[in-house]
Amino acid sequence: MDYIKMFFRYIKNYSKYIDFTLLITYIILSFIGLVMVYSASMVAATKGTLTGGLPVSGTYFFIRQLVYCIVGFSIVFFMSYFMHINILKNKRVQQIVIFTIFGLLILTLLIGTEINGAKSWINLGFMNLQASEILKVAMILYLSFIIDRRRNRLKQFKLALMMPLFLIGTCIGLVLLQNDTGQALILCMIVLCIFAYSGIGIKAILKWSGPIFAGVVLLIIFSIIFKGGILSQHQADRFHVLENPFNYESGIGYHLANSLLAIGNGGIFGKGLGNGIMKLGYLPEPHTDFIFAVIAEELGLVGVLFILGLLFFIVYKGFLYAALTDSYFFKLVCVGISSYIGVQTFVNLAGISGTIPLTGVPLPFMTFGGSSMLSLSIATGILLLTAKQIRIDESHRNK
């Protein structure tokens, strides 16, 4: 009984430092995502559409996502209350995490499972692990740690960051080799956002990343024009479809055309939860890549804006804490996590709406998947842990 009393006393003492608005937002988003996964998958699951022709229970994906949500919340709760901030800043921990993920990326290329043209998953039996999802969080911590330690040498960009960037660039290259262009794009954008906030001169960033970026753009253009190069035929076709997906709706534009129809069908208030039509065989993977289209059709513009508002709130909180703290490391971590959630949301919505080519990137907290939920939960836990430490430091200064 004494241990139980000590536990609750500890929780009570530290609860005053927890940002419950951020925690509740995470819970609401996870709950909405759980409900929408059930709505999007229940019919297709019973028909076997989503399981290779093998009919399963309508609650099959719901139950799995529920388990992922419970595990995710447990991670967030543990990190918020019991993890010490110094663990994130420990050099040995940083090295172990980044090299472990590096090894997982190589292992994925060797024995990974290919889904929708991308060889990005390792089948663990109880779930498919996507190492590139965990890489996002590891990369944010690693870059923040390195830049914080070497901030006095940032003007000597080559000496300070070339080796860490080489390691991160290699990891992103391994993701590209998995044929997962969407995840590679998000990783690159997170790096650029952290750099932009870190105070590294724009000239230094352009000097070292400009030629690489220009080379990639030229290769993509070459691939589109000549249908070859670094993009597969399937990826190059995604650029052609953007011109007018309805011109290709019987072929390569089928997915995007139906996604646009689902979004348009929703109107202002939607058709009602569970009443969507396009998820019944017209949208591929309605519980993953195209769940935003299902949300738009069933919950309408009002539901979409509510979810986007919650996602924006988390992004806003990250930038707010970056502005409040004096710790350079905390600043970069908060900006990195906000960039992660913000960029991934934009890429998913832009792809589903035909603004950019479809990338297969998850919509944060909405899309079915254990790796995505695990990564986002760790990121939220880190943000809550950082916010707690910022509040603790502030209370100590005020005493």
Side-chain angles (χ1 to χ4, degrees):
M1 290 296 295
D2 290 339
Y3 289 108
I4 296 176
K5 290 180 180 179
M6 289 174 59
F7 173 80
F8 282 106
R9 191 180 299 119
Y10 176 89
I11 296 296
K12 182 179 179 180
N13 290 338
Y14 277 95
S15 288
K16 60 185 176 183
Y17 300 115
I18 300 297
D19 187 340
F20 282 101
T21 60
L22 183 58
L23 178 60
I24 291 171
T25 301
Y26 161 82
I27 294 172
I28 293 174
L29 280 169
S30 300
F31 177 75
I32 295 174
L34 181 64
V35 172
M36 293 313 304
V37 164
Y38 177 60
S39 176
S41 65
M42 58 179 178
V43 175
T46 57
K47 292 182 177 180
T49 307
L50 305 177
T51 52
L54 179 65
V56 294
S57 168
T59 59
Y60 176 78
F61 291 100
F62 169 81
I63 291 173
R64 294 181 69 183
Q65 187 70 7
L66 177 61
V67 172
Y68 300 149
C69 288
I70 293 172
V71 172
F73 178 77
S74 300
I75 290 172
V76 169
F77 180 78
F78 173 80
M79 294 183 72
S80 301
Y81 279 96
F82 300 103
M83 182 177 284
H84 197 281
I85 195 70
N86 287 339
I87 294 177
L88 302 181
K89 302 163 70 173
N90 185 283
K91 180 179 179 180
R92 183 59 57 86
V93 172
Q94 293 274 355
Q95 291 173 337
I96 291 173
V97 170
I98 198 72
F99 281 106
T100 298
I101 294 174
F102 181 79
L104 287 173
L105 290 170
I106 294 177
L107 191 63
T108 302
L109 286 172
L110 297 175
I111 64 169
T113 302
E114 185 172 322
I115 302 176
N116 296 329
K119 193 177 183 180
S120 304
W121 291 267
I122 299 176
N123 190 343
L124 300 179
F126 58 91
M127 68 173 287
N128 287 322
L129 176 65
Q130 190 174 9
S132 58
E133 286 286 356
I134 314 302
L135 174 62
K136 295 170 189 173
V137 180
M139 188 180 68
I140 290 169
L141 292 176
Y142 180 69
L143 262 183
S144 302
F145 173 76
I146 292 295
I147 294 175
D148 179 44
R149 288 194 62 183
R150 304 179 182 181
R151 61 183 302 188
N152 295 327
R153 292 187 287 155
L154 290 182
K155 292 183 178 179
Q156 298 174 303
F157 189 84
K158 184 176 181 180
L159 296 176
L161 294 177
M162 282 309 293
M163 284 307 296
L165 277 181
F166 176 76
L167 175 59
I168 289 174
T170 303
C171 289
I172 296 175
L174 290 173
V175 175
L176 276 173
L177 288 176
Q178 296 170 5
N179 206 24
D180 197 342
T181 310
Q183 294 287 12
L185 171 65
I186 290 174
L187 290 165
C188 290
M189 291 301 296
I190 293 172
V191 172
L192 289 176
C193 288
I194 292 175
F195 277 175
Y197 194 87
S198 67
I200 298 173
I202 190 66
K203 290 183 178 179
I205 296 174
L206 292 176
K207 179 180 179 181
W208 296 105
S209 63
I212 298 173
F213 178 75
V216 171
V217 170
L218 288 174
L219 284 171
I220 291 175
I221 293 173
F222 176 85
S223 300
I224 296 170
I225 295 174
F226 298 101
K227 297 186 178 181
I230 63 170
L231 295 183
S232 65
Q233 179 63 56
H234 178 66
Q235 290 172 322
D237 286 340
R238 291 180 178 180
F239 283 90
H240 292 288
V241 167
L242 293 180
E243 180 185 353
N244 188 344
F246 293 97
N247 288 341
Y248 306 92
E249 63 178 319
S250 61
I252 57 176
Y254 177 81
H255 297 162
L256 182 55
N258 283 308
S259 174
L260 294 175
L261 286 173
I263 295 171
N265 287 343
I268 302 297
F269 299 104
K271 291 182 172 295
L273 184 63
N275 294 328
I277 302 299
M278 305 306 290
K279 67 186 180 184
L280 305 178
Y282 300 100
L283 288 172
E285 309 292 339
H287 62 314
T288 56
D289 294 354
F290 289 88
I291 197 164
F292 173 74
V294 177
I295 293 171
E297 185 178 17
E298 298 191 353
L299 303 184
L301 179 63
V302 172
V304 166
L305 291 178
F306 178 71
I307 292 171
L308 292 182
L310 293 175
L311 289 167
F312 173 78
F313 181 75
I314 295 179
V315 174
Y316 162 76
K317 277 289 186 176
F319 283 111
L320 176 64
Y321 283 118
L324 291 176
T325 181
D326 295 327
S327 168
Y328 196 59
F329 175 75
F330 290 169
K331 286 179 181 290
L332 296 178
V333 168
C334 290
V335 167
I337 292 173
S338 289
S339 302
Y340 165 19
I341 296 174
V343 168
Q344 185 156 310
T345 299
F346 169 79
V347 172
N348 178 274
L349 268 58
I352 297 303
S353 61
T355 307
I356 64 173
L358 288 168
T359 57
V361 168
L363 180 61
F365 303 104
M366 298 292 110
T367 297
F368 170 81
S371 297
S372 177
M373 196 64 199
L374 178 64
S375 175
L376 289 164
S377 296
I378 294 173
T380 305
I382 291 171
L383 189 56
L384 281 163
L385 174 61
T386 305
K388 182 183 76 172
Q389 190 61 46
I390 291 171
R391 290 181 169 194
I392 291 174
D393 293 342
E394 184 180 359
S395 68
H396 289 169
R397 285 196 300 269
N398 294 335
K399 286 183 179 180

